[in-house]
Amino acid sequence: MRSFALASVFLSLVSTAVCADESNLTKPLSSKFLLPSAFKPPQVFKNTNLVHVVNLEKSYPKESINVVIENTASSPQDEYYLPFTTRQMETIGALEVKDRKAPESGLFEVEAAEIDPESDTQYYRIRLPKPLAPKAQQTLGITYHFLSALDPLPATIQQKENQYLVYTFSAYCPSAYVTLKQKTEVKFPTTNIREHTVIPGTGKEPQSPQIQGTKYTYGSFGEVPAGAYEPVRVRYEFTKPLIHVSRLERDIEVSHWGGNLAFEERYTMTNRAANLSAGFSRTQFAQDAYYNPQSPAIKELKFPLRVGSLTPYFTDVIGNVSTSRFRSNKREANLELKPRYPVYGGWNYPFRVGWDADLKKFLRKLTTGDGYVLNAPFLEGPKQPEGVEYELVELRVILPEGATNLKYSTTVPVVSESITMHKTFMDTIGRTTLTLTSINVVDDLRDREIIVTYDYPFMAGLRKPLVIFSGVLSLFVAAWAIGSLDVAIKARSS
Amino acid sequence: MTAATSDSLLKKSTGRNTRGLLRLVILCTIAAAAVASRLFSVIRFESIIHEFDPWFNFRATKYLVANGFYDFWDWFDDRTWHPLGRVTGGTLYPGLMVTSGIIWHALRALTLPVDIRNICVLLAPGFSGLTAFATYLFTNEMTTSPSAGLLAAVFMGIAPGYISRSVAGSYDNEAIAIFLLVFTFYLWIKALKVGSVFWGALCALFYGYMVSAWGGYVFITNLIPLHVFVLVCMGRFSPRLYVSYTTWYAIGTLASMQIPFVGFLPIRSSEHMSALGVFGLLQLVGFVEFVRAAIPSKQFGTLLRGFVLLVFAISLFGLVTLTFAGVIAPWTGRFYSLWDTGYAKIHIPIIASVSEHQPTAWPAFFFDLNMLIWLFPAGVYLCFLKLNDEQVFVVVYSILASYFSGVMVRLMLTLTPVVCVSAALAMSYILDSYLTVKSPETPESVSSTADSSVSGNGSTASAKKAAKQEGGLRANRQPLVGIYTLFSKISVVSAMTAYLLIFVAHCTWVTSNAYSSPSVVLASRLPDGSQHIIDDYREAYQWLRQNTAEDAKIMSWWDYGYQIGGMADRPTLVDNNTWNNTHIATVGKAMSSKEEVSYPIMRQHEVDYVLVVFGGLLGYSGDDINKFLWMVRIAEGIWPDEVKERNFFTDRGEYAVDDRATQTMKDSLMYKMSYYNYNSLFPPGQATDRVRGVKMPEVGPVLNTVEEAFTSENWIIRIYKVKDLDNVGRDHASAASFERGNKKKKVTKRRGPKVLRVE
């Protein structure tokens, strides 16, 4: 018993330590390798053609760079560097690189590199799967997004006003190499663009941007040296919420006995939209709901769950939230949640949702041995037209007690992983738990999956019934033994 | 021969075992029924803490579980009674929280991580099962009938009078206190019967537990001495009585003094003096008995008279002196209101403003006890028939509890156990009489039964009497009694069965309809019959919790203090623990005065938000405008010059909120906050208040010192933010009028026509 107590104390210490680490989120958690502080990427590449697309249709900027690179060195090269500012490095998420010509060949290995914490320029190092021969060319497709990069201006608005967002970026795509030809396209959600930077044309280049509906194009520009920066600031209408989840804890619990897969998600949600300049007026809200449904308030969250999900719940810290609907049939299982109050800019609404699913749809037994394969979605948050951003996602996969030999794979970038024991209902040794942490995730990654394989011997499944049986048995024996003791002071008359 | 005796012995013991097992099964079923009937609200709504006080208990329990016992004991809560704070650890009865905490820790030790909320919600139903068992034990001490205990248990399990305070979610002190009450009484009877120190000490320990759990322990503190006193007066002093009472008093008083909130009250307050007095009396009587055995009877008489007079004079003088010296606290207002139901309304409006402190209306007895209430006197009568020490207890208990339950609605709770016990005694007596009586073998009885059974009650009574005197002379002369026939047996038993069934139906109906609403969540029916939940309270509390500063002070009427503390987790000015009348009156004054008067009060108390409950849109009658007169009255009690109740009534004496409302009413902060912006929800001139059923004035009130911060979906909760001081030093009225674009009024003095001044 004492060893249990000690172990639990130790575990709680560990968990608090982990929590303390995680609460400090100003720095990205991504793995880094240090480079000398005077590091400059070797000028071994040039960008012959580059198209930079900035997509502002959602509540976070989504950028992609399609670039044709050419090896200018005399030896084959495989390290391509991509520069970002320190601020961007903290909020960048899901940087993925693939060969545009052969997208099916998979993602390239990408690693964040830190040279000097004081420096404003940091690098991502992209390792090409095959070193690029001298003079050879390759087309890279680089995609990423930034979190918390759009800011409302003015920062406070009235309840029925439109909201405008500001985004600043460079007209010249940031690059560590010389770029021969490039252009930057900006996609806006509406045509209501209040401000944009105009870059005057030079002799052979026209004035930027060229406007086609909601698409603004800067460039094309001619040869630009490495590290060139031309700030562009746009301010555009976006009367939708900026849903920001600062922390999502997602648990997936496997129960072999119950044939059940239980999901639970705990959201710490904020709306980053413009704050209300005056108090919230219910009258105004009721009228706006009728005349002008667009608003920067979060009124509803839609969770399209896997078909066959059942028994959902939606609670917050003071109990069940009665304003939710669950539509489930053969083709869909939609969970529609309404927060208790419309979440306006600057307001918070932490909540918790959970549901069950049939284990058979997610788990398969391997034909040989005691192995099982679990295939579940990594992320299943709300699917909103304006998008959702997650600062930190902590996924826990709780396997049954006694599961061993745990392995996992996922395409979502993971910054930390650990395997611990989770002790809960009547466990003796605790359930094997895989904890994965991922930062700067957006709802585009909804469809990514996590695949976990583990061994679960037959006897491990019988552990709990046997423990309970022996516990009750020992209780009876103890009761019988105590009951048959004679504790009377005077001698029993027989 | 030997084989035959052993066989019969075996049979006997098997029969006893079977009956014991059957009884156990029945008791378990009763406990299950008691628990199940309290789960309506969990099934209908959710596992949620109900009403007001339970929210405080829940919050205290969470604090206990999170910070441990010693921190809880020393808990100074700076989030209530701002800016005073509350020494919570020393001013509450910790029994309830500690019980939940122990259960929580025990379950965790068994690796069952049950949420503390669920433990709190289900504590009351769980303990009601135990109460049923305790009632069974208690009743078994009263009678030899084996069925009376089971009947009492089932009555106790489902009587609405007890269910009203112990449904799931009703996490209040009474949840465990009634079990402790009944069990302490059982142990007391046991101790008295056996005269053992062991049972007396057990009784004292449970009394100590009861003291830690509920302020109603004073009922035990007075009932047991009263019982002893009555017994002594009846000349039933015995060493058993002496041993059990002195053991109980000594240990029980020490145990009760361990609770900080009680402390030295047992030797200093008037409510506890009877126990002390009876303790002294017992010593005297014991001494006298001792002397009587030693001295001849003639001298004894003189000695006794002188002795009694002397002791009486000394103790009375001592009591009066101590009371005047202030060592013994005089009676409290709550105590006076037990004797004079009009007292509180005049002197302490804050006590009178609580609905559960009102005198009981007579239908409430039928509502809460149904058929038990008419079986109750019969049971008490049966106690008189066989008047042992323990039956005296039931008689004393029933008299005292009947009186108190008539004075205060909530004291119906203390009446319920004795009603259940007495009713069970009566019911089991009837059933035993009619079910188990064997027909005598005289043939005449069969012949003449028909006509006598038809004549009804009178004949059955005489029949009972006859049955008792079986074999006597009268019985020989007139053995033709009706109860032996199958018909009379069947008719009486089936009538009783029908009553019992109706009782069950009534209990279920009352529980389901009257006592199972959490009052935090309201339910209504949609046109298609489905349930629609009105969740405005939690909507607003959650908004406060998430979107205001951690230490934002909320001013509201005291009813909502505990809920704000529990659900919104924000400091409040006043809450349901009504010990500081002045502070509550301050809030009452702020609510009932003009903005110019209220604003300084709110600033002084660092109020950030003001919360009002407004039912006008939905027709929710428990709103602040309907409670407003209590605020006015309580404020008037402290500031009779500034707040006057009369000014809130129209000339015709009506309490009106529409066009007829007085200027004082229209200027009051509460009125303004309730109806601010309400007009804009309706077409011009159409605004109506659905609670009061009146059309509102064309122009709504204007607010200058506070601004609307949040209004819940159905307008039940409205939250206002108190404005900061104006940046350029204007007063709020002129600043607001500038904002609205009004022209600044010229302050030139208007001169009237020149008048020749005489004198």
Side-chain angles (χ1 to χ4, degrees):
Chain A
M1 204 57 218
R2 171 169 297 178
S3 63
F4 274 144
L6 276 177
S8 68
V9 165
F10 177 67
L11 275 179
S12 68
L13 276 178
V14 168
S15 66
T16 48
V18 167
C19 288
D21 277 354
E22 282 162 359
S23 65
N24 184 14
L25 287 177
T26 49
K27 284 277 169 193
L29 287 167
S30 41
S31 64
K32 289 165 188 161
F33 65 96
L34 285 175
L35 290 170
S37 60
F39 173 76
K40 291 279 286 178
Q43 293 295 313
V44 293
F45 288 107
K46 69 178 179 193
N47 303 325
T48 50
N49 194 2
L50 187 149
V51 177
H52 181 201
V53 179
V54 178
N55 188 334
L56 298 175
E57 282 165 333
K58 286 197 169 187
S59 63
Y60 49 86
K62 211 161 68 175
E63 303 196 4
S64 65
I65 301 172
N66 293 323
V67 57
V68 182
I69 59 171
E70 186 181 326
N71 186 355
T72 54
S74 52
S75 57
Q77 296 292 331
D78 66 346
E79 286 181 359
Y80 182 84
Y81 286 90
L82 201 60
F84 290 102
T85 64
T86 310
R87 162 81 192 140
Q88 282 174 330
M89 282 299 268
E90 282 165 14
T91 58
I92 192 167
L95 183 96
E96 287 175 353
V97 183
K98 52 190 168 195
D99 194 336
R100 286 282 289 177
K101 295 273 166 58
E104 69 283 349
S105 63
L107 302 175
F108 292 5
E109 188 191 328
V110 176
E111 202 165 11
E114 186 178 0
I115 44 168
D116 179 3
E118 301 299 314
S119 163
D120 196 39
T121 310
Q122 315 283 343
Y123 293 98
Y124 260 102
R125 184 178 65 181
I126 298 165
R127 190 176 287 278
L128 307 178
K130 279 204 300 266
L132 197 59
K135 297 279 180 287
Q137 286 192 343
Q138 188 166 19
T139 310
L140 301 183
I142 305 168
T143 57
Y144 53 90
H145 53 252
F146 297 114
L147 264 68
S148 317
L150 304 174
D151 294 304
L153 189 78
T156 59
I157 56 170
Q158 282 178 8
Q159 207 167 310
K160 58 178 176 182
E161 261 184 317
N162 285 340
Q163 172 182 256
Y164 296 94
L165 297 183
V166 166
Y167 185 53
T168 311
F169 56 94
S170 173
Y172 303 142
C173 180
S175 177
Y177 308 100
V178 172
T179 309
L180 298 184
K181 183 173 176 237
Q182 67 170 304
K183 67 176 175 181
T184 298
E185 289 174 10
V186 191
K187 277 185 190 151
F188 290 104
T190 63
T191 52
N192 186 357
I193 288 74
R194 282 301 167 94
E195 292 167 26
H196 62 268
T197 305
V198 175
I199 300 175
T202 54
K204 50 188 187 276
E205 290 166 7
Q207 173 182 311
S208 292
Q210 290 110 43
I211 301 171
Q212 289 172 308
T214 60
K215 192 168 111 181
Y216 282 41
T217 309
Y218 286 89
S220 62
F221 304 108
E223 183 173 330
V224 167
Y229 185 74
E230 178 68 46
V232 169
R233 182 172 180 272
V234 290
R235 178 164 168 265
Y236 60 97
E237 191 204 329
F238 189 83
T239 314
K240 285 177 195 164
L242 304 180
I243 305 173
H244 181 83
V245 177
S246 55
R247 186 183 178 93
L248 163 64
E249 291 164 40
R250 176 172 156 90
D251 293 351
I252 302 174
E253 190 162 357
V254 179
S255 163
H256 280 245
W257 275 101
N260 188 43
L261 192 64
F263 295 87
E264 178 169 290
E265 301 187 328
R266 294 176 290 278
Y267 289 84
T268 312
M269 188 178 78
T270 319
N271 189 355
R272 287 187 61 256
N275 295 6
L276 289 179
S277 57
F280 168 69
S281 162
R282 178 63 67 174
T283 325
Q284 187 75 54
F285 179 77
Q287 285 166 1
D288 286 354
Y290 192 72
Y291 295 115
N292 180 19
Q294 242 188 17
S295 119
I298 307 172
K299 294 177 190 166
E300 194 172 37
L301 297 168
K302 285 190 177 138
F303 285 68
L305 303 179
R306 291 283 180 93
V307 177
S309 301
L310 39 109
T311 59
Y313 56 88
F314 172 33
T315 61
D316 61 19
V317 70
I318 51 176
N320 178 43
V321 187
S322 50
T323 46
S324 61
R325 268 196 311 251
F326 183 57
R327 301 175 193 283
S328 173
N329 54 33
K330 279 199 177 118
R331 277 169 287 111
E332 56 172 10
N334 280 329
L335 184 59
E336 294 164 14
L337 311 180
K338 266 188 188 161
R340 287 191 192 273
Y341 46 85
V343 184
Y344 274 90
W347 291 7
N348 306 310
Y349 190 74
F351 63 95
R352 164 195 301 242
V353 291
W355 60 92
D356 291 332
D358 188 3
L359 188 62
K360 270 184 263 169
K361 293 184 178 168
F362 296 88
L363 190 77
R364 208 153 46 81
K365 191 176 190 317
L366 295 184
T367 44
T368 54
D370 297 322
Y372 288 89
V373 186
L374 175 76
N375 183 351
F378 189 93
L379 187 71
E380 264 183 302
K383 192 166 190 175
Q384 301 288 102
E386 62 270 11
V388 183
E389 56 185 36
Y390 303 87
E391 204 171 303
L392 183 124
V393 179
E394 193 185 290
L395 174 73
R396 286 200 305 173
V397 182
I398 303 168
L399 299 175
E401 195 176 15
T404 50
N405 196 15
L406 191 155
K407 292 190 195 77
Y408 79 94
S409 78
T410 177
T411 53
V412 177
V414 169
V415 292
S416 83
E417 55 165 273
S418 65
I419 295 175
T420 50
M421 288 295 166
H422 174 65
K423 242 181 129 178
T424 179
F425 288 95
M426 302 219 152
D427 288 342
T428 37
I429 53 168
R431 305 178 187 189
T432 317
T433 302
L434 168 72
T435 309
L436 301 176
T437 313
S438 183
I439 55 165
N440 298 341
V441 179
V442 296
D443 60 346
D444 272 1
L445 306 184
R446 274 191 103 251
D447 303 327
R448 305 289 175 89
E449 280 162 342
I450 176 159
I451 295 166
V452 180
T453 59
Y454 59 94
D455 291 344
Y456 185 60
F458 178 70
M459 280 314 287
L462 287 181
R463 175 192 295 273
K464 190 166 288 179
L466 289 176
V467 165
I468 294 173
F469 175 74
S470 55
V472 173
L473 191 70
S474 55
L475 195 73
F476 282 149
V477 168
W480 173 78
I482 290 169
S484 61
L485 280 181
D486 186 2
V487 289
I489 295 169
K490 59 179 180 186
R492 192 169 279 179
S493 60
S494 54
Chain B
M1 185 67 199
T2 46
T5 39
S6 76
D7 187 46
S8 77
L9 270 176
L10 194 70
K11 215 177 203 171
K12 207 170 156 192
S13 84
T14 327
R16 206 186 58 214
N17 282 345
T18 318
R19 261 177 279 135
L21 185 67
L22 199 59
R23 204 167 295 161
L24 188 72
V25 168
I26 293 174
L27 276 175
C28 288
T29 321
I30 289 172
V35 173
S37 66
R38 284 163 170 80
L39 298 182
F40 274 109
S41 64
V42 171
I43 291 161
R44 212 171 280 166
F45 297 97
E46 61 186 274
S47 164
I48 186 182
I49 304 289
H50 289 192
E51 299 198 314
F52 306 106
D53 286 19
W55 277 101
F56 167 74
N57 298 326
F58 178 48
R59 175 161 168 257
T61 311
K62 280 201 286 188
Y63 187 89
L64 168 70
V65 165
N67 298 306
F69 182 70
Y70 287 103
D71 274 353
F72 176 67
W73 210 237
D74 299 334
W75 184 20
F76 178 80
D77 186 5
D78 58 353
R79 295 176 78 78
T80 55
W81 291 95
H82 184 82
L84 307 167
R86 174 181 175 188
V87 193
T88 313
T91 57
L92 50 60
Y93 294 102
L96 182 73
M97 298 94 193
V98 172
T99 308
S100 317
I102 288 171
I103 294 175
W104 187 77
H105 280 294
L107 288 177
R108 281 185 80 84
L110 291 172
T111 62
L112 289 171
V114 179
D115 189 7
I116 185 71
R117 177 174 51 92
N118 288 326
I119 291 174
C120 292
V121 165
L122 296 177
L123 191 75
F127 266 83
S128 73
L130 290 177
T131 312
F133 181 62
T135 316
Y136 167 76
L137 293 175
F138 181 75
T139 318
N140 270 359
E141 294 301 319
M142 296 296 149
T143 173
T144 49
S145 161
S147 62
L150 291 175
L151 272 174
V154 76
F155 289 161
M156 195 63 204
I158 60 172
Y162 175 38
I163 286 189
S164 66
R165 288 317 193 103
S166 62
V167 290
S170 173
Y171 180 58
D172 215 338
N173 292 331
E174 291 92 327
I176 62 169
I178 295 303
F179 161 68
L180 294 171
L181 185 90
V182 177
F183 201 67
T184 308
F185 286 155
Y186 159 69
L187 291 171
W188 163 246
I189 296 297
K190 192 86 186 170
L192 185 62
K193 272 184 157 178
V194 187
S196 93
V197 176
F198 171 70
W199 287 103
L202 262 186
C203 176
L205 287 182
F206 270 87
Y207 169 71
Y209 189 8
M210 171 76 182
V211 174
S212 77
W214 192 32
Y217 75 89
V218 181
F219 186 67
I220 303 184
T221 319
N222 287 297
L223 187 61
I224 290 182
L226 188 66
H227 179 213
V228 172
F229 185 71
V230 169
L231 286 180
V232 169
C233 288
M234 290 168 78
R236 293 186 177 209
F237 177 81
S238 65
R240 285 184 290 112
L241 184 65
Y242 183 83
V243 167
S244 49
Y245 185 77
T246 46
T247 312
W248 169 78
Y249 182 72
I251 301 178
T253 306
L254 280 178
S256 67
M257 286 165 79
Q258 306 308 310
I259 310 302
F261 192 30
V262 177
F264 281 93
L265 281 184
I267 54 168
R268 295 189 64 161
S269 86
S270 308
E271 283 99 332
H272 299 77
M273 281 302 119
S274 63
L276 182 60
V278 168
F279 182 68
L281 181 77
L282 272 192
Q283 311 305 323
L284 292 181
V285 174
F287 180 67
V288 167
E289 291 286 319
F290 174 72
V291 172
R292 197 218 302 261
I295 303 181
S297 60
K298 196 183 164 198
Q299 290 158 3
F300 175 75
T302 329
L303 191 69
L304 182 67
R305 207 168 301 136
F307 182 68
V308 165
L309 280 178
L310 185 72
V311 166
F312 183 74
I314 289 176
S315 52
L316 189 70
F317 177 73
L319 192 68
V320 171
T321 320
L322 287 176
T323 308
F324 273 103
V327 179
I328 298 178
W331 307 102
T332 58
R334 226 174 270 238
F335 180 79
Y336 283 128
S337 62
L338 278 183
W339 307 106
D340 176 7
T341 49
Y343 180 88
K345 197 165 184 181
I346 305 162
H347 295 95
I348 351 166
I350 200 157
I351 291 182
S353 74
V354 182
S355 62
E356 62 187 22
H357 290 164
Q358 307 296 335
T360 318
W362 67 264
F365 286 96
F366 284 92
F367 190 71
D368 277 355
L369 299 166
N370 193 254
M371 71 159 191
L372 303 185
I373 199 69
W374 50 261
L375 280 172
F376 172 48
V380 177
Y381 170 73
L382 286 177
C383 288
F384 272 107
L385 283 185
K386 187 185 154 210
L387 201 60
N388 286 333
D389 291 355
E390 59 268 22
Q391 274 86 8
V392 173
F393 183 78
V394 172
V395 172
V396 171
Y397 183 4
S398 50
I399 292 171
L400 209 63
S402 305
Y403 174 75
F404 286 137
S405 67
V407 175
M408 259 193 207
V409 174
R410 73 187 296 194
L411 292 182
M412 183 72 92
L413 196 59
T414 51
L415 175 71
T416 307
V418 73
V419 168
C420 291
V421 171
S422 311
L425 290 179
M427 181 60 91
S428 76
Y429 191 80
I430 296 171
L431 290 180
D432 286 353
S433 304
Y434 283 89
L435 280 176
T436 58
V437 168
K438 297 267 192 323
S439 300
E441 274 138 32
T442 40
E444 299 103 303
S445 66
V446 185
S447 65
S448 64
T449 39
D451 57 321
S452 60
S453 67
V454 173
S455 59
N457 266 349
S459 79
T460 48
S462 68
K464 244 188 279 175
K465 215 185 273 173
K468 276 173 65 115
Q469 299 170 346
E470 210 173 354
L473 280 175
R474 261 185 162 206
N476 277 345
R477 210 168 44 229
Q478 202 181 30
L480 318 166
V481 280
I483 81 160
Y484 299 120
T485 57
L486 199 61
F487 175 75
S488 74
K489 281 183 182 178
I490 287 176
S491 60
V492 172
V493 169
S494 58
M496 284 300 145
T497 313
Y499 290 140
L500 286 172
L501 290 176
I502 290 171
F503 175 67
V504 171
H506 174 81
C507 290
T508 316
W509 177 80
V510 169
T511 310
S512 150
N513 283 295
Y515 295 135
S516 293
S517 164
S519 89
V520 178
V521 185
L522 311 167
S524 70
R525 294 257 162 234
L526 290 179
D528 62 348
S530 63
Q531 181 173 263
H532 176 66
I533 292 197
I534 296 165
D535 217 351
D536 279 38
Y537 279 99
R538 287 195 291 177
E539 177 188 352
Y541 292 145
Q542 177 74 341
W543 183 85
L544 272 178
R545 190 183 185 116
Q546 300 302 340
N547 303 316
T548 58
E550 182 80 21
D551 59 346
K553 283 94 191 165
I554 317 291
M555 182 172 93
S556 73
W557 190 234
W558 61 266
D559 292 16
Y560 315 108
Y562 279 165
Q563 288 187 347
I564 294 173
M567 283 190 260
D569 191 25
R570 291 289 172 272
T572 52
L573 258 67
V574 292
D575 62 31
N576 311 45
N577 181 30
T578 53
W579 56 268
N580 188 338
N581 191 28
T582 317
H583 210 53
I584 292 181
T586 310
V587 173
K589 186 185 173 190
M591 294 290 194
S592 51
S593 307
K594 286 181 182 180
E595 277 188 81
E596 294 80 49
V597 180
S598 309
Y599 186 70
I601 298 177
M602 295 193 286
R603 293 289 299 181
Q604 280 160 9
H605 290 85
E606 300 177 312
V607 175
D608 294 299
Y609 293 91
V610 190
L611 182 148
V612 293
V613 174
F614 171 66
L617 182 68
L618 205 66
Y620 171 65
S621 61
D623 69 349
D624 274 349
I625 290 285
N626 277 359
K627 292 176 184 167
F628 191 33
L629 281 180
W630 287 111
M631 303 180 204
V632 173
R633 276 175 208 151
I634 291 168
E636 191 180 8
I638 305 288
W639 293 279
D641 299 334
E642 297 175 63
V643 184
K644 290 196 182 64
E645 189 183 350
R646 183 66 193 85
N647 293 345
F648 290 87
F649 289 105
T650 60
D651 292 337
R652 294 171 60 195
E654 291 166 313
Y655 179 65
V657 293
D658 50 0
D659 279 321
R660 297 168 298 157
T662 60
Q663 197 55 41
T664 318
M665 180 79 183
K666 282 183 175 168
D667 282 345
S668 67
L669 191 65
M670 172 58 73
Y671 179 89
K672 285 184 171 182
M673 287 194 297
S674 289
Y675 293 108
Y676 179 71
N677 235 342
Y678 187 55
N679 289 41
S680 58
L681 209 57
F682 296 87
Q686 299 286 310
T688 40
D689 181 326
R690 287 181 188 138
V691 174
R692 267 100 8 209
V694 290
K695 199 166 265 186
M696 296 310 297
E698 196 89 10
V699 183
V702 175
L703 277 170
N704 294 326
T705 57
V706 295
E707 58 187 352
E708 186 178 4
F710 187 77
T711 298
S712 65
E713 192 181 352
N714 299 299
W715 291 59
I716 289 183
I717 305 254
R718 310 199 66 186
I719 299 171
Y720 290 86
K721 190 177 184 355
V722 179
K723 281 185 188 166
D724 209 348
L725 289 173
D726 189 55
N727 278 338
V728 286
R730 297 168 294 184
D731 63 286
H732 283 103
S734 54
S737 127
F738 179 77
E739 290 287 318
R740 281 191 288 272
N742 292 352
K743 256 192 191 163
K744 196 176 175 188
K745 275 189 198 138
K746 282 199 178 151
V747 282
T748 49
K749 251 189 209 163
R750 271 192 63 194
R751 288 193 190 128
K754 280 180 185 168
V755 192
L756 181 70
R757 211 199 285 178
V758 285
E759 285 176 331

